[in-house]
Amino acid sequence: MALSKHINPDRLVRESKDKKSHHHHLTGTDVNSTSHPYGARYGTACIPKYHMPSKGTNAETTYQLIHDELSLDGSPSLNLASFVNTWMPEPANKLMMENMSKNLIDQDEYPMTQKIHTQCVSMLADLWHAPSTHQAIGTATTGSSEAIQLGGLAMKRRWQERRKAAGKSIHEPGPNIVMGANAQVALEKFARYFEVECRLVPISAESKYRLDPKKAMDFVDENTIGVYVILGSTYTGHYEPVKEMSDLLDEYEKKTGISVPIHVDGASGAFVAPFAHPKLLWDFKLPRVVSINTSGHKFGLAYVGVGWVIWRSKEHLPKDLIFELHYLGSVEYSFSLNFSRPAAPIIAQYFSLVHLGFEGYRSVANDGLKNARLLSRALEKSGWYTVLSDIHRPSANGLLQKGAQATIGFNEENTENYEEGLPVVAFRFSDNFQEKYPEIEQKWIQTLLRAKGWIVPNYELAPDLEHIQILRVVIREHMTEGLVDSLVSDIVEVTEGLIDHSSSSHALNLLGHHSNTHGNVGKMDDGSAFQYSGTYSKQC
């Protein structure tokens, strides 16, 4: 056990402080009277950890203290684990600061802000081919998690209405929802929080580490409120086949008379697919798709704090989920889990939609996928790594074009010639590497890259493939070709260091190094959570 387990750092600091002296009656020395941040009382006495300070300090000093603490965070631009957007143009930053104090829910006070919100809903409905963009219904959320809850609730309520109309029970055996075992935590949260049985479809390498529609049909019955289909798996970036799932559910309805809707979790892909692969069928063009969610703060290119959910028409959002409000100065309507929410992230979303337009988003999506292909090929050419994501592999259509155009060359820059997916690179040690160097653990790559500033997660795949660990890189807008070059150089360096028995990196094997340097920070006590039931949401 690490030495730190036996030593209380708070006690060490407390016992090591200077002894306090009384105020000197001649010099009048008082450290609390100084105005500069590092000489004020919090320069020599830390801010209380577990209770509010009895006496405050001035704003400049408070800023400096908190600023210095936050400087220990990692750099957002080197955080390749996150899908969340970390950069916007300076005018967008200015616009957000100007509107930081506005509350979106107060429609009477901020009518133009509400107008912007409505325009964003219409733009997304149009982008996703809703039958009528003028009559589109949807709302901003704090992110895809809330949006997924709303999409699931609408499907559950419509299922209940159908059951009651048919004179059937809504309690026995109760509703269920079907999703791949690779589902992100928000999808399982819906099932657990709103008392819906979560039916996880096993994944496999053959299904490309995502939902297998044929296997999913084994989990569908008259109590299935819907199927969550993910446009961009958190694990590997693969799109799940929405069209294939829709076709199978069409056949099921013809045989049984039971209609099972689809909600598309487009947290990331709904802001990539329309631009990079416009011919892909996944959205409201498929009648069985009743709702779609996305994260504006991911590939929507807004700052964190905004998501969206859109329904194909009003009939798919039950009226009893909509609340009519009369106490803010006008009649307003709300169908969100939250009430008050900041308007600034919605304004940031509108800024990006207007600033970039379709061609701008298309350029960002294609550039990201191009850099993801560059990283994928470089990793595979090293011989040390196998890439599980497929966005660098020519599609069937691309291969046909490649054969037909052999004399003039295959257009490698055309994203539509490759397999659809997010600009995500999921990779692991190759089989040959593992056989040759069985003593090297893949998680050390994460630790050694972190020492260079890069945050590249190493984690297990979903249930049934949890014996496979992968490293994953998300290529966001700021991840330029130059940064990809630097990342490849650092991956090669740390891998070579582990191979070289004389290097300090290889000594990790002798030290029994563990990559979790923060111990149990953020973890709950044993027995305080439910048993782990699968998906990305491992229990604390």
Side-chain angles (χ1 to χ4, degrees), residues 178-457:
V178 176
M179 66 189 81
N182 59 303
Q184 203 263 357
V185 61
L187 283 70
E188 190 180 357
K189 273 186 178 181
F190 162 74
R192 189 182 300 177
Y193 289 175
F194 293 99
E195 298 181 323
V196 176
E197 179 192 351
C198 181
R199 295 186 173 180
L200 297 175
V201 182
I203 64 168
S204 64
E206 292 71 29
S207 72
K208 297 184 178 180
Y209 316 99
R210 61 184 183 179
L211 177 76
D212 183 330
K214 293 185 175 64
K215 288 183 179 179
M217 293 307 301
D218 295 335
F219 294 80
V220 172
D221 59 29
E222 65 175 342
N223 297 306
T224 301
I225 66 170
V227 179
Y228 276 142
V229 186
I230 306 168
L231 199 71
S233 171
T234 304
Y235 289 87
T236 59
H238 285 100
Y239 291 163
E240 293 185 338
V242 186
K243 176 67 165 58
E244 184 182 350
M245 189 74 251
S246 177
D247 290 344
L248 290 172
L249 290 172
D250 286 346
E251 294 176 11
Y252 180 76
E253 183 175 3
K254 289 179 182 178
K255 293 178 182 177
T256 65
I258 299 170
S259 178
V260 179
I262 289 174
H263 173 92
V264 175
D265 173 18
S268 296
F271 261 116
V272 176
F275 309 108
H277 292 95
K279 297 176 184 178
L280 180 67
L281 285 176
W282 66 273
D283 59 13
F284 291 128
K285 283 184 177 180
L286 301 173
R288 196 159 294 277
V289 176
V290 298
S291 50
I292 301 171
N293 72 273
T294 194
S295 294
H297 58 227
K298 292 181 182 175
F299 292 104
L301 306 180
Y303 283 131
V304 66
V306 59
W308 302 92
V309 58
I310 312 290
W311 286 269
R312 69 177 301 111
S313 61
K314 292 181 179 180
E315 67 179 285
H316 294 285
L317 178 61
K319 289 184 179 179
D320 64 350
L321 293 181
I322 303 174
F323 290 83
E324 188 174 293
L325 313 174
H326 294 267
Y327 51 80
L328 291 177
S330 64
V331 177
E332 298 166 4
Y333 299 91
S334 172
F335 46 99
S336 58
L337 298 180
N338 287 345
F339 187 65
S340 292
R341 72 174 73 248
I346 285 84
I347 293 169
Q349 180 72 88
Y350 186 64
F351 175 92
S352 289
L353 291 170
V354 173
H355 168 58
L356 291 170
F358 188 94
E359 287 303 318
Y361 273 101
R362 179 174 172 83
S363 177
V364 171
N366 285 334
D367 287 349
L369 287 163
K370 180 179 179 180
N371 285 331
R373 293 195 295 270
L374 171 63
L375 176 60
S376 299
R377 292 172 185 144
L379 290 168
E380 288 195 332
K381 288 179 182 296
S382 72
W384 297 331
Y385 293 98
T386 295
V387 177
L388 281 67
S389 45
D390 291 317
I391 44 88
H392 64 300
R393 308 188 203 286
S395 63
N397 181 58
L399 287 171
L400 287 174
Q401 291 190 25
K402 190 173 183 179
Q405 299 177 11
T407 56
I408 58 176
F410 174 64
N411 184 1
E412 292 190 345
E413 291 194 338
N414 185 357
T415 296
E416 294 185 62
N417 288 335
Y418 297 91
E419 292 288 337
E420 300 95 349
L422 299 177
V424 166
V425 181
F427 57 106
R428 62 172 178 84
F429 282 154
S430 65
D431 292 339
N432 288 337
F433 184 92
Q434 293 180 73
E435 290 174 9
K436 192 171 182 180
Y437 307 105
E439 75 281 5
I440 297 178
E441 296 190 41
Q442 187 171 286
K443 64 182 179 181
W444 296 344
I445 301 296
Q446 172 184 328
T447 304
L448 293 169
L449 287 176
R450 184 60 184 265
K452 292 179 174 291
W454 301 105
I455 300 176
V456 177

Side-chain angles (χ1 to χ4, degrees), residues 452-477:
K452 292 179 174 291
W454 301 105
I455 300 176
V456 177
N458 180 81
Y459 55 88
E460 300 166 353
L461 283 176
D464 291 327
L465 291 179
E466 59 264 49
H467 61 283
I468 299 176
Q469 291 187 0
I470 63 170
L471 294 149
R472 189 198 66 196
V473 169
V474 180
I475 304 293
R476 304 198 302 278
E477 181 186 13

